[in-house]
């Protein structure tokens, strides 16, 4: 859980496995990375693992005390340990038989420690999507390679602003419920309904503005990331092209390769003369060269008589 940004800082937007499934979390600005890592370690340690280790240690200690001599203590300790592990395995098998067992460590957020994206799904799909976009924006702003070129305080300030925006969204639950109740009550005046709806609209508009400005920051950082990538590609392209062989080198290489067949030809013909092996095929008259078959064997090599007569008639 915990995502390290490219600059070495920990992003406050984390992915975790919770009792109701996997979700994304925005940590409180005051929660440090050290505190969250400690929570991770505690969540990863399962109670049954701790009990198993304590039981094994107690069993071995008891066997060492009861046994006589080194061999006796060793045998008693081994027997007790085997019995404990066999019993524990039987208990685990019974649990697996009763239902599926999930070994994924679970994480629980304390009140006020962080906001989960699933905390706002009851406020409608538009609000839930806005919350996911805000969390993704804060995470991207902490991870961007352009972070080294902007004010170091900007990602933290964006984290604080989004956190307070989610707190405002959470405090708007009562007025949203009240607005629905007022709208469904025919005896309530229109002024109360309008006031409640205006309050909800003001909160939603403010959150939309926060999301719009955060998106503006992301557009700027993405544009600078594109510039950085282009600069990096330009530098790498120039470096790679500079290491390639030049035209002069290729010309010398081609000339050296051109001399090789001439050298081989001279040695082969000299060896032919010394051994009197006879002429090569290309040294014979052209009439004695092997005839090349340009037409496949299964096709006729002569033109039929009828076709030739018709062709002659057309030419005449």
């Amino acid at each position: 859980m915990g995502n390290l940004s490219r600059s070495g800082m920990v992003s406050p937007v984390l992915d975790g496995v919770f009792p109701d499934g996997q979700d994304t979390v925005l940590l409180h600005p005051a929660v440090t990375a050290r505190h969250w890592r400690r929570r991770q370690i505690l969540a990863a340690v399962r109670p049954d693992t701790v009990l198993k280790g304590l039981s094994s240690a107690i069993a071995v200690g008891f066997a060492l005390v009861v046994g006589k001599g080194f061999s006796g203590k060793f045998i008693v300790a081994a027997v007790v340990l085997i019995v404990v592990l066999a019993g524990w395995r039987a208990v685990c098998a019974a649990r697996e038989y009763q239902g599926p067992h999930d070994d994924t460590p679970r994480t629980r957020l304390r009140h006020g420690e962080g906001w989960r994206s699933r905390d706002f799904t009851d406020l409608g799909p538009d609000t839930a999507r806005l919350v996911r976009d805000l969390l993704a924006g804060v995470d991207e702003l902490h991870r961007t390679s352009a972070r080294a070129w902007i004010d170091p305080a900007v990602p933290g300030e964006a984290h604080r602003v989004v956190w307070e925006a989610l707190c405002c969204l959470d405090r708007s639950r009562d007025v949203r419920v009240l607005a629905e109740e007022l709208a469904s009550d025919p005896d309530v005046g229109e002024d109360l309904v309008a006031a409640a709806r205006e309050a909800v609209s003001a909160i939603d508009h403010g959150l939309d503005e926060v999301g719009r400005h955060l998106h503006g920051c992301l557009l700027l950082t993405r544009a600078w990331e594109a510039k950085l990538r282009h600069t990096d590609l330009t530098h790498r392209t120039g470096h790679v092209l500079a290491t390639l062989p030049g035209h002069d080198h290729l010309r010398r290489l081609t000339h050296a390769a051109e001399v090789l067949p001439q050298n081989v030809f001279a040695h082969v013909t000299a060896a032919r003369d010394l051994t009197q092996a006879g002429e090569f095929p290309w040294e014979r008259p052209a009439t004695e060269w092997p005839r090349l078959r340009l037409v496949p064997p299964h096709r006729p090599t002569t033109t039929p008589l009828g076709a030739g007569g018709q062709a002659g008639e057309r030419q005449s």
Side-chain angles (χ1 to χ4, degrees):
M1 244 183 283
N3 304 317
L4 293 178
S5 65
R6 298 175 184 176
S7 60
M9 302 296 292
V10 178
S11 171
V13 181
L14 308 169
D15 296 327
V17 179
F18 299 87
D20 56 349
Q22 189 172 359
D23 199 3
T24 304
V25 182
L26 176 67
L27 292 180
H28 191 283
V31 177
T32 62
R34 181 178 180 182
H35 172 76
W36 187 252
R37 283 195 295 267
R38 184 167 62 251
R39 292 290 308 279
Q40 289 180 269
I41 296 174
L42 294 177
V45 177
R46 301 178 61 87
D48 53 358
T49 304
V50 177
L51 292 177
K52 185 187 294 186
L54 292 177
S55 301
S56 301
I58 293 173
V60 173
F62 176 75
L64 294 176
V65 173
V66 174
K68 297 180 179 180
F70 177 77
S71 60
K73 292 181 179 181
F74 179 78
I75 294 174
V76 174
V79 171
V80 173
L81 186 59
I82 291 174
V83 172
V84 171
L85 293 179
W88 195 268
R89 184 177 180 83
V91 173
C92 293
R95 292 179 179 177
E96 292 178 358
Y97 177 77
Q98 292 175 358
H101 185 66
D102 187 10
D103 292 332
T104 305
R106 303 295 184 175
T107 303
R108 294 182 181 275
L109 282 175
R110 296 190 181 99
H111 179 70
E113 192 176 33
W115 288 116
R116 296 174 51 187
S117 63
R118 197 172 297 177
D119 292 338
F120 303 95
T121 54
D122 59 323
L123 300 181
D126 295 337
T127 302
R129 182 172 57 255
L130 175 62
V131 171
R132 290 193 299 268
D133 292 342
L134 291 176
L135 267 60
V138 173
D139 185 49
E140 182 178 347
L141 201 56
H142 279 76
R143 289 171 168 271
T144 177
S145 57
R147 180 170 177 173
W149 301 85
I150 61 177
D151 188 353
V154 169
E157 183 65 15
H159 179 198
R160 184 190 65 81
V161 170
V162 172
W163 174 267
E164 293 184 0
L166 295 182
C167 291
C168 294
L169 182 61
D170 180 67
R171 290 197 298 269
S172 70
R173 295 180 185 274
D174 294 337
V175 69
R176 294 175 188 274
V177 174
L178 180 61
E180 294 180 358
E181 293 180 358
L182 293 175
S184 60
D185 192 346
D187 297 332
V188 176
E190 292 294 334
D191 54 344
L192 296 179
V193 177
R197 289 178 176 175
E198 183 179 356
V200 174
S201 300
I203 293 175
D204 291 340
H205 177 71
L207 294 177
D208 290 337
E209 287 296 306
V210 172
R212 187 173 65 86
H213 293 308
L214 182 60
H215 184 65
C217 294
L218 297 180
L219 290 178
L220 294 172
T221 55
R222 290 169 186 171
W224 184 241
E225 284 180 353
K227 289 290 185 182
L228 293 176
R229 284 193 299 269
H230 181 267
T231 303
D232 179 65
L233 290 175
T234 303
H235 176 73
R236 288 167 53 191
T237 302
H239 177 72
V240 171
L241 293 179
T243 59
L244 293 177
H247 294 289
D248 295 337
H249 180 76
L250 292 176
R251 190 179 300 108
R252 291 192 300 268
L253 186 64
T254 304
H255 178 70
E258 183 181 0
V259 177
L260 294 177
Q262 301 174 2
N263 192 355
V264 174
F265 177 80
H267 284 78
V268 168
T269 53
R272 185 273 317 273
D273 295 338
L274 292 175
T275 59
Q276 297 180 357
E279 298 176 341
F280 289 105
W282 62 81
E283 294 178 329
R284 299 173 184 173
T287 57
E288 298 181 8
W289 289 358
R291 181 174 299 179
L292 298 177
R293 298 180 60 89
L294 301 179
V295 181
H298 65 276
R299 293 185 180 179
T301 56
T302 58
T303 305
L305 182 59
Q310 294 177 1
E313 293 177 357
R314 292 194 187 96
Q315 292 177 359
S316 62

